[in-house]
Structure formats: structure tokens, C-alpha cells
Amino acid sequence: MRFGSFSYWLKDGLDKGYAVAQININNLEFVQAIIEAAEEERAPVILGASEGALKYMGLDYAVAIAQTAAERSSVPVMLHLDHGPNLDWVLKAIRAGFSSVMIDASRLPLEENIALTKQVVDLCHSLDIEVEAELGRITGTDDDLTIDERMATLCRPEDAERFVGETHVDALAAAIGSAHGHYKGKPQLDFNRLSAIRKATGIPLVLHGGSGIPDDDVREAIGLGIAKMNINTDNQEVFTEKVREVLQENPKLYDPRKYLGPGREAIKAMVKKKLALTGSVNRV
Ligand code: 13P
């Protein structure tokens, strides 16, 4: 099977009330674990690759591994550029074979975010590539922002309406209070804002920073229009914990397969939990 269709599966999620999981990849073990979990759970799945992960894995290696995974997989697999920072990275990803991209120009003022996102959408749509963009600013949990500063990062529904109308983007990562990394306290998702953005835009919305959000909040967000949820930190954490545990128990171990294998199993178990949480099990 070639890569699946990003917009088909996000729309399916929106229509049927589930979210497609974007699970970020960091190495071969992540890809294998994600695909095994998705196949066993009969779930469509998006492999997300950030600029940092692609620099680490090598763009061509990452695409080759993902393509092999998609071809062998019996469930739809998409390969999505996560937080593409500029046109250069978007072009690199498309040329290498990605099936969809995210342009993240959320650091720019609204007008400039619209202009760059529109440029990317026009180009990508002419190549049948679908685009996610970000509005408001989804911060890191380590960014030490005051309450006022954090409020100022949230997406305004009226901006979202204009943004989607002018850019024709396919999916929107609207900042509603989630963040990347480990949350210090309970994350405060702004559900009223999410509903208003959903009404104002009508397109599939994306929840970033999926690790550490309480399950009930995730379900509520999906009920309000989240059609894709991104997860990375939870998998990184269980992988590293398992590797650390195996090495601590066997300090003389030197064969990487003996600790990476258990690490891979730990990711697979976590991905299965996330697929159940997003409601994407048995959708294929
Ligand atoms: P977490 O690492 O917090 O799960 O966020 C992942 C993400 O949103 C990738 O874009």
C-alpha cells in the first residue's frame, strides 16, 4: 500500500467522532512499533517527523523506512512533516516523498503567517499534497510564560475564520492551551474556544502536545472537532525508561538488540493505548 490520504482519514475522523493519531518517529524502532500497533488495532495512523527528527534520522532514511512500512502495512499509513518551519523544509519533504506537510509559521504576525501558509498551500495543492498549519502559538511546557503571556498565545476564533478562508489549509493546529513536552500541572484546554474555532472554520482541527493530557479531556476535545492528535513525549519516555531499566538490570549488556527490542515493545504498548484513546481502533 502507498501512503494513505491525509484529508480522507481526517474527514473520516471528523464525521465519525474519532481522531487520527499522529505518532512521531525518532528512529527505526519507533516506526516498527507504531505500524505493528496500528495493524493489530486496525487503525489508520500518521507517522509524524519533525525537523529535529529528520536531521537525526536523515531525511532520505526516514522516508525510505516510512515507505517500506506503508507498503508492507495492511492499514493506511501517512507520512507527515511536523512543524515545517519554512518553505525550504516543505519542499525538501515533498521532494523526498512525504504525503502531507505542516507549515508552522505561527511565530510570525498573523498577516505573515497567512501569506506564507497560503504560498505553501497553493504550491502543495498543485501537487496533491495536503497541508496543516498552526494558528496562535503552541508553546513548549518548559517555556516559562506568565498566565497573560500564555493567554496571548491562544488562537482567536475570528483569526481562525479569516486564516482558513484566505489560505484554504486542510487542517488547523489551533492553540487552545496544550503544549509540547511534560506538563507541570494539569493542562488547561479551552474547550469553549475550541468549539468556537470549529464553528468558525469547519475544517479538521489538530491537537498538538497530546502526551499528558487527561483522557477525559482528550475525549471531550475529540467530541468538539479534534480530528488528529499528535503524540511524541509519552513514547520517548516509555522507550527510554525501558532501555534504562534493561541496562540497569544487565550492566554488562552490549548487544543493542537486547535493549532496543524491549524499548520497541514499550512504544508499541503505549501506541495501542493512544489508538484506543483517540477512538481510531477498528476504523479500517
Ligand atoms: P508531545 O511530545 O507533547 O506529545 O507533542 C507532540 C506534538 O505535538 C508533535 O507535534
Side-chain angles (χ1 to χ4, degrees):
M1 197 191 275
R2 287 177 45 236
F3 289 126
S5 160
F6 181 82
S7 57
Y8 174 87
W9 286 104
L10 262 61
K11 192 174 173 307
D12 195 60
L14 206 53
D15 291 347
K16 297 179 183 160
Y18 72 95
V20 182
Q22 172 185 310
I23 315 282
N24 280 43
I25 60 173
N26 294 275
N27 61 20
L28 172 69
E29 281 72 18
F30 273 72
V31 178
Q32 292 173 325
I34 296 163
I35 300 298
E36 274 188 29
E39 285 200 292
E40 285 175 23
E41 299 300 335
R42 308 308 304 158
V45 74
I46 298 171
L47 302 175
S50 67
E51 177 188 357
L54 291 169
K55 282 183 176 160
Y56 173 76
M57 294 178 74
L59 181 63
D60 291 339
Y61 282 96
V63 173
I65 292 169
Q67 270 169 348
T68 302
E71 275 159 22
R72 294 178 52 147
S73 164
S74 57
V75 294
V77 175
M78 282 66 75
L79 178 62
H80 186 68
L81 176 67
D82 191 27
H83 294 285
N86 50 41
L87 188 60
D88 253 27
W89 263 97
V90 167
L91 291 175
K92 265 192 221 173
I94 295 174
R95 204 170 45 219
F98 274 67
S99 53
S100 56
V101 296
M102 175 183 188
I103 174 72
D104 179 359
S106 62
R107 67 196 175 279
L108 301 175
L110 180 63
E111 300 292 333
E112 290 171 44
N113 187 350
I114 290 176
L116 178 53
T117 300
K118 183 170 168 22
Q119 189 185 12
V120 167
V121 171
D122 288 349
L123 188 135
C124 287
H125 282 182
S126 71
L127 299 167
D128 281 335
I129 302 268
E130 286 133 3
V131 182
E132 172 187 344
E134 178 165 321
L135 192 57
R137 208 159 48 78
I138 300 166
T139 57
T141 47
D142 286 338
D143 299 356
D144 268 326
L145 300 182
T146 63
I147 292 174
D148 282 352
E149 282 166 340
R150 208 169 274 288
M151 274 304 289
T153 64
L154 299 183
C155 173
R156 299 186 334 157
E158 58 272 33
D159 291 345
E161 184 172 7
R162 178 175 164 210
F163 188 86
V164 171
E166 292 188 23
T167 63
H168 303 290
V169 75
D170 303 288
L172 183 66
I176 57 159
S178 67
H180 297 112
H182 283 122
Y183 292 94
K184 284 174 194 133
K186 182 179 181 295
Q188 303 292 330
L189 300 192
D190 187 337
F191 293 112
N192 291 334
R193 188 180 296 268
L194 173 58
S195 294
I197 295 168
R198 166 86 185 110
K199 279 202 195 86
T201 63
I203 66 169
L205 301 174
V206 182
L207 184 62
H208 280 244
S211 303
I213 299 177
D215 289 359
D216 286 346
D217 285 4
V218 170
R219 288 190 202 101
E220 185 163 353
I222 292 172
L224 294 172
I226 291 294
K228 168 174 176 274
M229 180 168 86
N230 293 6
I231 300 127
N232 188 27
T233 302
D234 278 345
N235 291 320
Q236 292 183 320
E237 193 168 56
V238 291
F239 175 72
T240 306
E241 267 173 11
K242 181 49 87 177
V243 170
R244 191 180 289 122
E245 182 191 308
V246 174
L247 289 175
Q248 270 168 358
E249 279 170 12
N250 309 277
K252 295 223 164 69
L253 205 63
Y254 60 87
D255 180 346
R257 294 169 296 187
K258 299 271 167 32
Y259 54 85
L260 293 178
R264 182 171 60 195
E265 286 305 309
I267 300 171
K268 182 175 164 186
M270 177 57 79
V271 172
K272 283 189 166 199
K273 272 194 207 160
K274 299 297 180 183
L275 295 174
L277 176 61
T278 53
S280 48
V281 172
N282 285 330
R283 299 292 181 178
V284 181

